[in-house]
Structures are given as C-alpha cells and as structure tokens.
Amino acid sequence: MEIREGGLQTPQVAALLAAHVEDMRRYSPPDSVHTLDLDRLRTPDLSFWSVWEGQEVLGCGALRELDPSHGELKSMRTAAEHRGRGVGSLVLEHLVTEASARSYSRLSLETGSPQEFAPARRLYARRGFVECGPFGPYAADDFSVFMTLPLD
C-alpha cells in the first residue's frame, strides 16, 4: 500500500468519493451530511491523500486547517472491498503525523452517530480520539459525534 498526496483528478478517487457521499446521504438526514464532494476538497485549506495498490485506490483522507493550531480530519474512506486490511488505520496515522508536523495542538473530526458509523468511531477511539463538543463550523446535532485528539 502506498500513500500518495492528491489523486482527486483520477477516476478511481472520484468513484470512491462518490460512494462516500452516497453512503453519508443514506445514513444521515440532509442537514447532518458534512461530507465534501470533489470540488469542495479542492480548496486551499485542505490537503488530500489517497492510498493505492498498483492502479487500484484503497482509501483516502483529508486534513483541513481550521486555524494555525487546530486541524480537522475530512473524507476518511476505505473502499468497501478493502475494509479490514488496515487501510483506515494507515490513513489515520498519516493524517495525525501530518497534523503534528504542522504543529497543530489539536486534531478533531465529525462522524455519524448511527450504527453504520460505529467502526469509524472505534478506529478513532483506538487512536486516542475522545468525544467532545462541536467545533469550528459545526453545531450540536443528534446525528453527529464530535471527537478530538490533543497533539503534544
């Protein structure tokens, strides 16, 4: 598995992100979907990475700078056929390492509260993320779980 910066221009990543957006819309009401499409991932405050094995994309993730000391995880996704292989852990570790290199003191995320999001919440908790209140642009929402990780 190889982590590459970028990949938004490839059809493989476009298909993975389309599946991601579709799932987020399936499991959350419209006002609780905070996922980013391809165009919204191409903004200067976001950095994006994809995980590849040959010509096949396995997963992806993005890091958004909320302010000079606070980053946010976005668009974490593992392709359905590659779940259970450690792709999510690999992406998460890469994003945490990048956040630390940027000298962020905190890294946060928003994920869903329905059962379909439980594997993601467990992944984040295993890495040390703990539940917190809304941050940045978010408001309290029954369909959202907010988590944060202090980086020292």
Side-chain angles (χ1 to χ4, degrees):
M1 286 187 260
E2 175 190 4
I3 297 178
R4 301 177 191 165
E5 188 166 5
L8 291 170
Q9 74 286 358
T10 68
Q12 298 96 318
V13 170
L16 179 66
L17 289 169
H20 180 61
V21 170
E22 182 180 318
D23 275 355
M24 299 307 101
R25 290 182 177 153
R26 179 180 307 128
Y27 300 124
S28 300
D31 59 340
S32 296
V33 176
H34 304 289
T35 190
L36 303 177
D37 62 19
L38 275 172
D39 288 337
R40 291 174 63 202
L41 284 165
R42 290 184 172 117
T43 60
D45 62 332
L46 277 152
S47 300
F48 182 87
W49 291 268
S50 46
V51 180
W52 296 81
E53 196 167 66
Q55 296 301 308
E56 188 172 12
V57 68
L58 310 181
C60 62
L63 182 60
R64 169 188 276 166
E65 182 168 303
L66 296 172
D67 66 49
S69 66
H70 190 187
E72 178 187 10
L73 296 181
K74 293 299 292 181
S75 300
M76 287 273 302
R77 179 71 175 197
T78 298
E81 61 273 19
H82 296 292
R83 291 187 182 141
R85 294 186 55 199
V87 175
S89 295
L90 180 69
V91 172
L92 181 58
E93 197 56 42
H94 181 81
L95 296 176
V96 170
T97 299
E98 179 66 24
S100 293
R102 294 179 182 190
S103 299
Y104 294 158
S105 60
R106 181 165 69 127
L107 187 57
S108 301
L109 63 93
E110 179 277 337
T111 190
S113 63
Q115 184 60 32
E116 291 82 4
F117 296 89
R121 293 191 306 269
R122 286 192 299 270
L123 171 67
Y124 300 132
R126 279 195 307 271
R127 182 55 181 84
F129 284 81
V130 296
E131 288 192 30
C132 64
F135 61 90
Y138 300 102
D141 175 348
D142 288 341
F143 288 89
S144 290
V145 173
F146 303 99
M147 302 180 82
T148 195
L149 176 71
L151 299 171
D152 294 318

